[in-house]
Amino acid sequence: MELKVKNVKSAELKNMIIKRLYFDKALSCADMSELFDKSVPSISKAVNELMDEGFVVEQGYAPSSGGRRPLMYSLRHEAIYILTVAMDQLSTRIQIVDILNNPVAKTAITELKLLNNPSALQTLIDHINDYIFSTGIPVDKIAGIGIGMPGFINSTEGYNYTYLDSGDESLTSVITRETGVPTFIDNDSSLIALAEQKFGIAKARKDVMVINLGWGIGLGMIINGEIYRGHNGFAGEFSHIPLSEDGALCTCGKRGCLEAEASMLVVAEKAIQGIKKGHISSLKNIDINQSKMVGDAIMEAANNGDQFAIELLSDAGYKIGKALAILIHIMNPASIVLSGRGAVVGKILLAPIQQALNKYCIPRLANSTELLISDLGFNAELIGAAVLVMENFDKEIKNHLITTNQSSMEKTTKN
Amino acid sequence: MELKVKNVKSAELKNMIIKRLYFDKALSCADMSELFDKSVPSISKAVNELMDEGFVVEQGYAPSSGGRRPLMYSLRHEAIYILTVAMDQLSTRIQIVDILNNPVAKTAITELKLLNNPSALQTLIDHINDYIFSTGIPVDKIAGIGIGMPGFINSTEGYNYTYLDSGDESLTSVITRETGVPTFIDNDSSLIALAEQKFGIAKARKDVMVINLGWGIGLGMIINGEIYRGHNGFAGEFSHIPLSEDGALCTCGKRGCLEAEASMLVVAEKAIQGIKKGHISSLKNIDINQSKMVGDAIMEAANNGDQFAIELLSDAGYKIGKALAILIHIMNPASIVLSGRGAVVGKILLAPIQQALNKYCIPRLANSTELLISDLGFNAELIGAAVLVMENFDKEIKNHLITTNQSSMEKTTKN
DNA sequence: ATAACTTTTTAAATTTTTTTAATAAGTAAC
DNA sequence: GTTACTTATTAAAAAAATTTAAAAAGTTAT
């Protein structure tokens, strides 16, 4: 006996509508007809079914553009929630957001060391389950779990080859099984890029390079409007491109990597050296035993006008600019976005970066690339994780939401 | 009175079939059903219509895979020809090929200087028209003209911002008007990449970087199975990425560009210097006043085991390898193909390139990229030009072919 | 204020596509 | 050499999508 789902194409259209409404908030039938190249009656039918299923609601009339006012449809807020997770080497943030990306509960922040920590995966799962329980939101209202994390990640297959070893089974499969919610993972920088392109400063742009300025230097690439992950999912390893011939030794074992020359960690290191040598600066009272805190302190000091801090950042900015020149030559992007932790000093970095671009770029290329500073800030990765879930919104997720929802999908049995 | 073409979607399917048959040579209805996610009857209907229109013929039965043998369909050879053009700074090749990319007449090679030559465009048009006339192939059997050329090119709009100035009107529009055949242009390196991915060593691979080793160093990118051209069509400007801090002066005005360090022209230049200094080599009797001929001579000498030539090429190879390391970090491609003129010394370049990759690449990335040498050689650009035309095969082209063909499309008049 | 024109939605008719079933043509095991 | 099982094509029936037409709800110019 074989089970067969009917109306596959119709279900596809409905998923496309849900997905689109997540990004565009509200659309009329006419809008969607245009968007999906489907007739209005087809759209109308799908929308009505989605209303019956509880996913879509009428939102009211939009202003007329010269004729009858269009009836706008949007997603029902209570139908879909998304659990988002942003991990770095040391700490993990967990959050549940609604369909407007607004948090519905306080973000949970926990210490979770990724390196050499065999129990990290179980800890993560426990934290997620605890968080879901604490919010009281039923599991079947959560469309999916999106997780951003560092490491070499194969997003399609759901593996992280660097951290959170899950054995033969994929990481996403383990978390899906243990939480009961479809799970998706991706590289932190890719998710930041996704956030910037969907809801940030690079909104709707097709070819965007997002630089994740943090303790390393990540690169998330949007190519033809989609995240580009490369053949094995390792694209965007910007941190370790060889920049100078005999530069500083990098954690990767090679010399002259961009990360070893210009990351916030290196800036912090240089600041500590400088302070030890007696550099006059508002930083001189900082605890120099914790590079990461020094990093934050430098950025704050720079924004407050501290000359020494600005000098250090400018130096890093120039090197980043040189690397960006290479990136521009290869990719000819519409925009480059400075995002991640370092975005707060974006304005200070802008001048030296532009200077490097002028020196190392063919003018025609430099001029056709806009340099932007993120306004999403620290939230980018969490928003990106939500986008990741909704980009993968398909039959499976809808079934997960619908199983304990009101109606069930039409199925026929083939005899 | 408004004219409206019916069966738009059906026409689309038919174009998809023609396109696919160009790439796959022969397919059964079942194959196409799978490929296009359409029912067999839909495919069958479209194929029968295409046979009536004279585009498709039955090709015979393929071996059975356990059941009834599939009837294979292929394109009718006499229905579609493609005119391909490959231009470089000094000379232009023109050719007409059939649907199997086989030339149907001798390739025409003419001297045509691109730089500072206001009459270049008219000369090109004249040559194309003369060539078509000389072959006796009727214009309405030629699906399109594909042209590969150097310069900053916007393939979608059909402009070349560097050469062949066509004023306000697009270059493709001028040539289409003057020849009566739909025309498409693209960057030479992009077309070489297209050829390698469709009919060359990187066949069917999705993420491929093709290096066009010639007088410059070009880069054609296949991303997600499609040519990537960047935001303005300027992507792949690999020649001018800053490689060394205070390197040789480049024609672009900057220092340390890859092109200025490792192109065949530079190798030739170095050879001339070496010979003048009395280097012992089989090259010593070459005419040192023509760098380009020296370039060819060096490649030949290297392939014959000349130590000095090999040394020069190895040096260039190592620098190319360093640049490829950067490319691999950013793109994580499945394959890198060495193509263009320099492909003939690919085997000699391989070792120093690999050496550089070992030094400058994270092992995981280097290991997941295969380094290939083109077997299409000098023909790649012409084949790519044909692919460019067929990739753009759409309603317009089909109409062009069909106007003076046997049947005409069904049209209805809206009252 | 009214006529003329837009835009959106709904319902009925038509077209297109897919599903189903039947037929044809082959392979492989016994 | 049957029999059971695959695979491919064709034709008729069923389902789905689009086109067409009409109605509803506005805007704008006179």
Side-chain angles (χ1 to χ4, degrees):
Chain A
M1 203 181 76
E2 210 181 306
L3 214 72
K4 206 176 166 189
V5 180
K6 269 206 177 186
N7 295 344
V8 177
K9 303 238 161 154
S10 158
E12 245 169 56
L13 176 61
K14 287 201 272 182
N15 289 334
M16 279 163 70
I17 291 174
I18 291 180
K19 220 185 273 191
R20 196 73 202 198
L21 284 175
Y22 167 69
F23 292 114
D24 291 354
K25 310 300 180 206
L27 294 167
S28 72
C29 284
D31 292 338
M32 293 188 244
S33 172
E34 181 92 343
L35 228 43
F36 301 132
D37 195 25
K38 292 271 164 189
S39 69
V40 173
S42 297
I43 299 291
S44 180
K45 191 185 163 223
V47 167
N48 284 326
E49 282 177 30
L50 283 170
M51 286 205 290
D52 289 344
E53 291 168 19
F55 286 108
V56 167
V57 290
E58 292 182 352
Q59 215 231 357
Y61 291 94
S64 163
S65 61
R68 176 172 168 173
R69 291 184 305 180
L71 183 53
M72 305 303 279
Y73 298 91
S74 58
L75 291 173
R76 195 170 130 254
H77 290 194
E78 302 76 29
I80 302 178
Y81 295 96
I82 307 163
L83 192 141
T84 61
V85 182
M87 308 182 79
D88 69 22
Q89 299 282 354
L90 297 174
S91 81
T92 289
R93 287 173 289 160
I94 303 177
Q95 194 177 68
I96 289 186
V97 298
D98 65 13
I99 215 65
L100 297 170
N101 289 332
N102 291 129
V104 294
K106 216 179 132 208
T107 305
I109 303 175
T110 44
E111 301 296 303
L112 205 168
K113 202 173 127 254
L114 283 180
L115 199 65
N116 301 323
N117 181 2
S119 67
L121 176 53
Q122 192 52 54
T123 310
L124 174 65
I125 291 169
D126 291 343
H127 277 302
I128 290 175
N129 281 326
D130 289 352
Y131 186 77
I132 295 175
F133 183 77
S134 77
T135 61
I137 293 172
V139 165
D140 56 282
K141 295 283 180 199
I142 302 173
I145 299 175
I147 309 180
M149 46 175 89
F152 278 117
I153 292 176
N154 183 328
S155 180
T156 323
E157 305 287 332
Y159 286 92
N160 186 333
Y161 300 115
T162 317
Y163 305 112
L164 293 172
D165 184 38
S166 55
D168 280 344
E169 198 180 355
S170 79
L171 184 53
T172 50
S173 148
V174 172
I175 301 174
T176 301
R177 178 161 44 74
E178 295 291 322
T179 59
V181 185
T183 302
F184 305 90
I185 62 171
D186 211 331
N187 181 270
D188 44 5
S189 295
S190 290
L191 289 192
I192 289 174
L194 207 48
E196 295 293 352
Q197 194 241 0
K198 297 297 183 187
F199 295 107
I201 193 145
K203 202 168 177 175
R205 252 153 280 202
K206 280 184 65 189
D207 301 307
V208 184
M209 303 289 118
V210 179
I211 309 299
N212 180 12
L213 297 170
W215 309 134
I217 295 177
L219 168 63
M221 310 166 92
I222 306 280
I223 295 182
N224 276 326
E226 277 177 30
I227 286 280
Y228 174 73
R229 299 184 175 89
H231 176 56
N232 308 86
F234 305 153
E237 259 307 322
F238 205 50
S239 266
H240 300 288
I241 63 170
L243 201 67
S244 64
E245 194 51 49
D246 295 300
L249 189 67
C250 180
T251 51
C252 77
K254 305 191 177 288
R255 281 192 178 278
C257 296
L258 175 61
E259 178 172 303
E261 301 270 319
S263 78
M264 283 303 150
L265 223 49
V266 170
V267 170
E269 208 54 52
K270 284 186 179 168
I272 293 170
Q273 302 287 325
I275 292 165
K276 279 183 181 166
K277 281 182 188 162
H279 252 283
I280 295 150
S281 162
S282 63
L283 291 164
K284 60 176 179 260
N285 296 322
I286 217 75
D287 174 8
I288 58 171
N289 294 317
Q290 281 199 279
S291 298
K292 296 204 174 183
M293 282 182 67
V294 175
D296 282 325
I298 289 168
M299 295 196 276
E300 202 187 319
N303 275 334
N304 288 330
D306 184 274
Q307 282 305 311
F308 179 53
I310 290 175
E311 209 173 281
L312 286 172
L313 287 174
S314 294
D315 191 45
Y318 189 78
K319 282 165 181 163
I320 291 167
K322 190 177 175 188
L324 290 183
I326 294 175
L327 190 63
I328 289 173
H329 276 98
I330 295 174
M331 302 303 302
N332 177 220
S335 324
I336 290 179
V337 179
L338 304 180
S339 188
R341 263 193 170 77
V344 293
V345 288
K347 275 191 181 153
I348 292 167
L349 294 170
L350 226 44
I353 288 178
Q354 196 64 58
Q355 210 179 325
L357 293 186
N358 291 342
K359 176 157 183 198
Y360 296 112
C361 253
I362 296 177
R364 160 157 251 145
L365 279 168
N367 295 338
S368 58
T369 310
E370 54 177 4
L371 200 54
L372 305 169
I373 298 167
S374 167
D375 46 10
L376 255 36
F378 200 44
N379 259 319
E381 192 176 344
L382 286 169
I383 294 173
V387 174
L388 178 69
V389 171
M390 291 308 290
E391 286 223 316
N392 283 286
F393 194 96
D394 64 356
K395 209 178 61 211
E396 231 167 296
I397 293 188
K398 187 139 174 275
N399 275 335
H400 164 73
L401 288 172
I402 224 167
T403 30
T404 40
N405 227 14
Q406 36 252 68
S407 61
S408 69
M409 297 191 79
E410 311 93 62
K411 280 178 190 170
T412 55
T413 312
K414 201 179 173 185
N415 59 336
Chain B
M1 203 181 77
E2 209 182 308
L3 215 72
K4 206 176 166 187
V5 180
K6 269 206 177 185
N7 295 342
V8 178
K9 300 238 162 155
S10 158
E12 244 169 59
L13 177 60
K14 288 201 271 182
N15 289 334
M16 280 162 71
I17 290 174
I18 291 180
K19 221 185 272 193
R20 197 72 203 200
L21 283 175
Y22 167 69
F23 291 114
D24 292 354
K25 311 299 182 207
L27 293 167
S28 72
C29 284
D31 292 338
M32 294 187 245
S33 172
E34 182 90 342
L35 228 42
F36 301 133
D37 196 26
K38 292 270 164 188
S39 69
V40 173
S42 297
I43 299 291
S44 181
K45 192 185 164 221
V47 167
N48 284 325
E49 282 176 30
L50 284 170
M51 287 205 289
D52 290 343
E53 293 169 17
F55 285 108
V56 167
V57 290
E58 293 182 352
Q59 214 231 356
Y61 290 94
S64 163
S65 62
R68 176 173 169 174
R69 291 184 305 180
L71 182 52
M72 306 302 279
Y73 298 90
S74 58
L75 291 174
R76 194 170 131 252
H77 290 194
E78 302 76 30
I80 303 176
Y81 295 94
I82 308 162
L83 193 142
T84 61
V85 181
M87 308 182 80
D88 70 21
Q89 299 282 355
L90 297 174
S91 82
T92 289
R93 286 174 288 160
I94 304 177
Q95 194 178 68
I96 291 186
V97 297
D98 65 14
I99 215 66
L100 297 169
N101 289 332
N102 291 130
V104 294
K106 216 179 132 212
T107 307
I109 304 175
T110 44
E111 300 297 302
L112 206 169
K113 202 172 128 255
L114 284 179
L115 199 65
N116 300 324
N117 181 2
S119 67
L121 177 53
Q122 192 52 53
T123 310
L124 173 66
I125 290 169
D126 292 344
H127 278 302
I128 291 175
N129 280 328
D130 289 352
Y131 185 78
I132 295 176
F133 183 76
S134 76
T135 62
I137 293 171
V139 165
D140 56 282
K141 295 283 181 197
I142 303 173
I145 298 175
I147 308 180
M149 45 175 91
F152 278 118
I153 292 176
N154 181 331
S155 179
T156 322
E157 306 286 331
Y159 286 91
N160 185 333
Y161 300 114
T162 316
Y163 305 112
L164 294 170
D165 183 40
S166 56
D168 280 344
E169 197 180 356
S170 78
L171 185 52
T172 50
S173 147
V174 172
I175 301 175
T176 301
R177 177 161 45 73
E178 296 290 322
T179 59
V181 185
T183 302
F184 306 91
I185 62 171
D186 212 330
N187 182 270
D188 45 5
S189 296
S190 290
L191 290 193
I192 289 173
L194 206 48
E196 295 294 351
Q197 195 242 359
K198 296 298 182 186
F199 295 107
I201 193 145
K203 203 167 176 176
R205 252 153 281 202
K206 280 184 66 190
D207 301 308
V208 184
M209 303 289 118
V210 179
I211 309 299
N212 180 12
L213 296 171
W215 309 134
I217 296 177
L219 167 63
M221 311 166 92
I222 306 280
I223 295 182
N224 276 325
E226 277 176 30
I227 286 281
Y228 174 74
R229 300 185 174 89
H231 176 56
N232 308 86
F234 305 153
E237 259 308 321
F238 206 49
S239 266
H240 301 287
I241 62 170
L243 201 66
S244 65
E245 194 51 50
D246 295 302
L249 190 66
C250 179
T251 51
C252 78
K254 303 193 179 287
R255 281 192 178 277
C257 297
L258 174 60
E259 178 171 305
E261 301 270 319
S263 78
M264 284 302 149
L265 222 51
V266 170
V267 171
E269 207 55 52
K270 284 185 179 169
I272 292 169
Q273 303 286 326
I275 292 165
K276 279 183 181 165
K277 279 182 189 163
H279 253 283
I280 296 151
S281 160
S282 63
L283 290 164
K284 60 177 179 259
N285 296 321
I286 218 75
D287 175 8
I288 58 172
N289 295 317
Q290 280 200 277
S291 298
K292 296 204 172 181
M293 283 182 67
V294 174
D296 283 325
I298 289 167
M299 293 196 277
E300 202 188 318
N303 275 334
N304 288 330
D306 185 274
Q307 281 305 311
F308 179 52
I310 290 174
E311 209 172 281
L312 287 172
L313 287 173
S314 294
D315 191 46
Y318 189 80
K319 282 166 181 162
I320 292 168
K322 189 177 175 188
L324 290 184
I326 294 175
L327 190 63
I328 289 173
H329 276 98
I330 294 173
M331 301 304 300
N332 177 219
S335 324
I336 291 180
V337 179
L338 303 180
S339 187
R341 262 192 170 78
V344 293
V345 288
K347 276 192 181 151
I348 293 168
L349 294 170
L350 225 44
I353 288 178
Q354 197 63 58
Q355 210 178 325
L357 292 187
N358 291 342
K359 176 157 184 198
Y360 296 113
C361 253
I362 296 177
R364 160 158 251 145
L365 278 170
N367 295 338
S368 58
T369 309
E370 55 178 5
L371 200 53
L372 304 170
I373 298 167
S374 166
D375 46 11
L376 256 35
F378 200 44
N379 259 318
E381 192 176 344
L382 286 168
I383 294 173
V387 174
L388 178 69
V389 171
M390 291 308 290
E391 285 222 317
N392 283 286
F393 194 96
D394 62 357
K395 209 177 63 212
E396 232 166 295
I397 293 189
K398 186 136 173 279
N399 276 337
H400 164 72
L401 288 173
I402 223 166
T403 29
T404 41
N405 228 12
Q406 38 252 66
S407 61
S408 70
M409 299 191 76
E410 312 92 61
K411 281 176 188 172
T412 55
T413 313
K414 202 179 172 184
N415 57 336

